[in-house]
Amino acid sequence: MFNREPNIDVLFRNGLKDMEVLPPSDVWDNIPPLPVKRSPLRIITGIAAGVAAVASLAVLASWYTRSNNATADRLPELAIVSGSQQAVRVRGTETPPVTTRADITTPVNETISMPAERNREEALTVPDNQPLHLLAQAEMTPVKAKDDNPVSFSPEDVTIIASGYFSDSDDLKKENIILSADENAPQRFMVGASLSPAMGFTMPGQDPGVNELENGESGRSSYTTGLTFGYKISDRLTIHSGIGLASIGQTITDIDVFAGLSDFYSVKSNYLYTVQTASGLILAGNTDLYLADSRNRVASLVSGNMNDPSKYNLPQVGSDIRQVFRYLELPLMLRYKLIDRKVGLNLTGGVAYGFLVDNMAFTGQGSDLVRIGHTEGVSSHNFSSQLGLGMEYNTSSNVSFNFEPVFKYYVTPLSQITGSPYKPYSLGLFSGFFFKF
Amino acid sequence: MQKEKDIIQGCLSGSRRDQELLYRRYAPKLYAVCLQYAGNTEEARDVLQEGFIKIFENLSRYSHEGSFEGWMRRIIVNTALERYRNRYYLSRVDDIDEVGEPEAEPDTDDFAGLEAYDLLNMIMELPPKYRMVFNLYAIEGYSHKEIGEMLGISEGTSKSNLSRARVILQKKVALLTGVTRRMVNV
C-alpha cells in the first residue's frame, strides 16, 4: 500500500553516512599546488608580449634574409630561344604553417543533479559494542576485484575515525553544477612537434602565357615541420606559436640537363641559362650545365651553332628541374576545443608570417642531385592564413596527438613579378604530438 | 578552528597550507566515498587524488550556496563515475540465475551487529555495475532515469542492476548477521 524504502537501502545509507577512513599518506603528496587565479589583465599582457616577440623575430629574420640574398644580374645579351617575356604566376604547392594543438585530457562537462529530497527514515541503531573478532569470523565469499587484488577489508587495514547514520541534510539541495573535468587546467603550457604534408592548388589565371607555363609544371610534395609552443588561455581556448620550416615548390618537366659544358664553353657571366617558370625566372648559376627545352622556356647566352649537346658528347644528368622554396614560418594560432574528451575535436585558425630562407633549383635523381641555380621574383616574405578542423587524441594527461585537415591560403602573393599576384591555397594534414606541463 | 570560508579563500589565494588544511579536514570522509565506488583501495586512492585535484581546480566556481562538503562529494562521485565509464561497459545484463531470487526482506533487527566497515566491504565486493547503481540509487538518492543518463544505460538496466545488488547484499547481510546472532546467543 505504501512505497516503503527497502530496509537494505536504509541500512547501507545510514550505516555509511559520516563514515571516515584515513586515506593513504602519499595521496596529498601527489596533489599539485593550486595555481593562483590569473587576472584577465595578466592574460592579455601575456598575449601581447607573445605577439611582440613574434613580430620582433620576424623583423630580425627579414633583415637577415635581405642582407644575405644574392642580387641577380641579368645576362647582358639574352637570346630568347623562342616565346616572349610575359607576366608569370607562381604556382606551387603550399603547406600549412606549424600549428600546435591545445590541451589534453578527457575533460567532460557534466551536469550533476542532486537527488530529489526524500522522506527521512528513522535512524537505524547500530550498536558498536560487538566484538571485532566476531566480525572477522564471518563466512563471506571473497570476491576478487578486477585487478585481482583481494577486496577484503579487514579491521587491520583501515582506521575507522567515525561511523554513524546517514540522513538527508537540508543543505543538500538539488542543484546543478557544471564540472570541468579538464584534468590539465594547471598544465597551461605545452610544447610539441609537428609534420604537415600538403598538396597545393591554384585557380586558373587570366594570363594565357602563365597558364601555358603551368601546363609544363607539376606540383611537388610539400611539407611543414617545426616546434610549437602553446599557452592555455581557458579550458577550451589555447593560443599557439612556434617556429617551423615550410617547403614548397614545383617541378618543371621536359627540360633536359647535361653536365660538362664548362670544358667546352665559358662566358664571363654568373649565369649561362635562364628558365621561365610560373613561379619566376630560374637563373642557372651552374655554368657547367647545358639546358635544352622543347617548349621554348629556356634562354641562353650560348650561340645558336653551338646549341647542340651532341657536339660535346655531354652526359645527361636530369630530365626536369625542381624548384624548392623554404620558408621559416612564425605562426600565431588559436585552437578551440569543440569536443573536450579523450578523443576530441578541435577548431584551429590563425595567421603565419613566413620569410624565405632557401631558394634553389636542382636536377638529378636520388643522391645524385645537381644544383642549377635559384629562382628570381619570389617574394622574400609572406603572410598566410589557415583554418583547420581535426581530431585530438589524448593518450595521457600530458601527451596528446593531433590529426587535422588544414586549409591554407596565402594572403600576400608568393611572386613579385608585376601583374602576377599569385595567392595559392593548399589542403594538408597536420599531425603532431604535444607534451603538456 | 579556522572557518571553512577562510580556508577556501586561502586556497584560492594559493596558500599551500590552507590547501592541506582543507584536504586533511575532508579527505577521510571523501575517501570512504571513494572506497564505496572504487572496489579496491588502489582505485579508491586514485579517485581521491584525482577528485581533490578537480576540487581545487574548480574551487573558484563554488558559489557558497549549499553544503561545501556536499559539493565536494559530488565531485568525488563524478570522478569515480568518469573513471568507471572509461573502464567498464554496462551493456551486458547478467543472467538472473547467477544472482538468484530475492529473499524476503530482512527485518531491521537482523542488522544488529553490523559495523560500518562491514557494510563498506560488502559494497566493495559487489560487481562494478551493481555497485555503481546501488551507490547512486540507495546512497546518493538518484533516480533510475538520472542513473541511466550518468552511466549510459537504460532505466530498465538500472532497475535490474539495483535489484540484483540488493539480492547480493541481503544474502551477505543475512550470512553475516546470522553468524553474529549465533555467536551472541552462545
Side-chain angles (χ1 to χ4, degrees):
Chain A
M1 183 171 12
F2 298 105
N3 278 335
R4 187 174 70 92
E5 193 173 8
N7 287 334
I8 197 71
D9 290 4
V10 175
L11 167 66
F12 279 87
R13 187 167 62 245
N14 291 344
L16 295 174
K17 179 183 181 293
D18 297 329
M19 181 179 181
E20 295 183 1
V21 178
L22 201 63
S25 58
D26 61 338
V27 172
W28 169 247
D29 296 333
N30 293 328
I31 296 177
L34 181 67
V36 178
K37 189 174 176 61
R38 301 181 186 277
S39 66
L41 181 59
R42 290 189 62 182
I43 295 173
I44 294 173
T45 305
I47 294 174
V51 171
V54 170
S56 301
L57 280 175
V59 169
L60 284 173
S62 177
W63 170 81
Y64 175 79
T65 303
R66 286 203 183 96
S67 66
N68 284 279
N69 268 346
T71 302
D73 293 328
R74 293 289 183 182
L75 292 174
E77 296 176 1
L78 190 62
I80 305 298
V81 175
S82 65
S84 59
Q85 294 284 353
Q86 298 184 16
V88 297
R89 286 181 176 273
V90 173
R91 187 190 76 174
T93 57
E94 307 301 339
T95 58
V98 174
T99 58
T100 58
R101 62 153 298 282
D103 315 290
I104 45 152
T105 69
T106 55
V108 176
N109 286 332
E110 299 177 354
T111 300
I112 290 184
S113 59
M114 281 302 297
E117 293 185 353
R118 40 174 198 268
N119 295 327
R120 185 183 295 269
E121 298 289 341
E122 291 188 2
L124 185 68
T125 302
V126 179
D128 57 357
N129 58 352
Q130 296 298 325
L132 293 178
H133 70 271
L134 293 179
L135 302 173
Q137 294 174 9
E139 296 176 7
M140 298 180 71
T141 306
V143 175
K144 297 253 179 184
K146 184 175 175 64
D147 56 355
D148 289 333
N149 289 332
V151 184
S152 60
F153 204 62
S154 65
E156 291 76 22
D157 293 336
V158 298
T159 301
I160 305 297
I161 299 176
S163 62
Y165 310 135
F166 176 83
S167 61
D168 284 343
S169 168
D170 292 336
D171 293 333
L172 292 178
K173 302 174 186 176
K174 182 167 185 173
E175 58 184 343
N176 294 329
I177 59 174
I178 304 298
L179 290 183
S180 172
D182 188 350
E183 301 175 8
N184 294 309
Q187 299 171 319
R188 291 189 177 272
F189 295 92
M190 60 199 71
V191 295
S194 63
L195 176 65
S196 304
M199 285 299 295
F201 303 90
T202 58
M203 297 292 290
Q206 301 288 336
D207 194 326
V210 175
N211 292 338
E212 184 181 351
L213 287 172
E214 291 178 351
N215 290 336
E217 300 173 3
S218 61
R220 287 176 49 78
S221 58
S222 59
Y223 67 88
T224 300
T225 184
L227 296 175
T228 307
F229 311 94
Y231 176 79
K232 193 173 181 181
I233 300 173
S234 68
D235 289 339
R236 288 180 177 264
L237 187 62
T238 307
I239 186 170
H240 296 274
S241 186
I243 189 165
L245 184 67
S247 177
I248 60 175
Q250 51 196 16
T251 301
I252 293 76
T253 58
D254 300 327
I255 294 183
D256 296 325
V257 183
F258 302 87
L261 183 64
S262 60
D263 294 335
F264 303 94
Y265 198 88
S266 64
V267 293
K268 290 183 179 180
S269 172
N270 292 330
Y271 308 96
L272 200 58
Y273 288 94
T274 64
V275 181
Q276 201 170 46
T277 73
S279 308
L281 193 69
I282 295 176
L283 302 180
N286 188 346
T287 56
D288 187 50
L289 299 178
Y290 180 98
L291 305 180
D293 175 37
S294 61
R295 299 190 184 189
N296 304 321
R297 293 168 294 183
V298 176
S300 174
L301 282 178
V302 178
S303 59
N305 59 350
M306 298 184 70
N307 193 22
D308 185 359
S310 63
K311 293 183 179 180
Y312 312 110
N313 196 22
L314 301 177
Q316 186 172 2
V317 295
S319 58
D320 54 33
I321 296 177
R322 275 155 271 173
Q323 289 175 303
V324 174
F325 311 118
R326 291 198 176 97
Y327 290 88
L328 194 64
E329 289 192 336
L330 303 175
L332 189 63
M333 306 291 295
L334 289 174
R335 184 179 301 273
Y336 182 79
K337 289 184 181 180
L338 294 174
I339 298 176
D340 200 4
R341 291 183 181 273
K342 190 175 181 66
V343 179
L345 186 67
N346 294 330
L347 178 68
T348 60
V351 296
Y353 172 84
F355 48 92
L356 194 64
V357 295
D358 195 4
N359 174 359
M360 64 175 178
F362 61 93
T363 188
Q365 296 294 331
S367 59
D368 297 329
L369 299 179
V370 180
R371 180 161 183 145
I372 296 176
H374 72 278
T375 305
E376 278 292 296
V378 179
S379 300
S380 61
H381 59 270
N382 62 72
F383 276 98
S384 62
S385 62
Q386 74 171 44
L387 188 65
L389 180 67
M391 182 190 74
E392 174 187 335
Y393 176 66
N394 298 290
T395 59
S396 69
S397 59
N398 296 101
V399 179
S400 64
F401 291 85
N402 281 61
F403 302 93
E404 296 177 3
V406 176
F407 172 80
K408 181 176 180 180
Y409 177 74
Y410 278 87
V411 179
T412 57
L414 292 186
S415 174
Q416 288 179 335
I417 296 176
T418 304
S420 61
Y422 178 71
K423 301 178 183 179
Y425 63 95
S426 68
L427 291 176
L429 178 64
F430 170 81
S431 59
F433 76 92
F434 300 90
F435 177 76
K436 286 161 273 187
F437 57 96
Chain B
M1 190 175 182
Q2 195 169 352
K3 289 183 180 178
E4 180 180 277
K5 195 173 183 180
D6 295 335
I7 296 175
I8 294 173
Q9 194 57 40
C11 292
L12 292 173
S13 301
S15 168
R16 185 66 172 165
R17 174 187 166 277
D18 285 329
Q19 292 171 23
E20 185 172 3
L21 197 60
L22 189 77
Y23 171 81
R24 300 293 178 198
R25 180 178 291 190
Y26 293 103
K29 188 170 288 187
L30 295 178
Y31 184 57
V33 176
C34 295
L35 288 168
Q36 276 177 237
Y37 284 88
N40 60 78
T41 54
E42 284 190 11
E43 179 71 13
R45 181 186 60 190
D46 293 340
V47 172
L48 182 71
Q49 179 179 312
E50 194 174 320
F52 257 99
I53 290 174
K54 291 182 181 178
I55 286 171
F56 287 131
E57 290 174 0
N58 292 281
L59 201 56
S60 58
R61 300 185 182 190
Y62 175 61
S63 60
H64 296 277
E65 295 176 0
S67 165
F68 180 63
E69 183 180 320
W71 181 81
M72 289 194 296
R73 185 187 178 101
R74 286 192 292 275
I75 294 178
I76 293 293
V77 170
N78 191 36
T79 302
L81 289 178
E82 186 177 332
R83 291 180 68 94
Y84 173 81
R85 278 191 297 264
N86 290 337
R87 294 178 62 184
Y88 297 105
Y89 296 94
L90 290 169
S91 58
R92 191 177 72 88
V93 176
D94 285 336
D95 190 317
I96 190 69
D97 293 333
E98 295 179 9
V99 178
E101 295 296 328
E103 298 181 353
E105 190 171 35
D107 189 63
T108 54
D109 292 338
D110 294 336
F111 298 155
L114 286 175
E115 294 288 344
Y117 69 80
D118 290 324
L119 303 177
L120 183 60
N121 217 358
M122 287 185 235
I123 286 186
M124 291 174 66
E125 290 176 352
L126 285 174
K129 54 186 177 182
Y130 297 164
R131 182 172 66 243
M132 285 296 164
V133 174
F134 184 82
N135 279 329
L136 291 172
Y137 187 89
I139 309 296
E140 307 297 335
Y142 289 102
S143 67
H144 286 296
K145 183 181 179 183
E146 291 170 324
I147 293 172
E149 292 173 356
M150 293 162 74
L151 299 181
I153 58 176
S154 65
E155 283 189 50
T157 302
S158 176
K159 290 177 181 175
S160 66
N161 286 346
L162 175 66
S163 175
R164 289 160 188 166
R166 284 172 175 163
V167 169
I168 294 174
L169 292 174
Q170 283 173 359
K171 287 183 177 179
K172 289 182 181 294
V173 167
L175 188 65
L176 188 60
T177 56
V179 173
T180 303
R181 193 181 304 114
R182 283 197 298 274
M183 291 219 157
V184 170
N185 291 333
V186 167

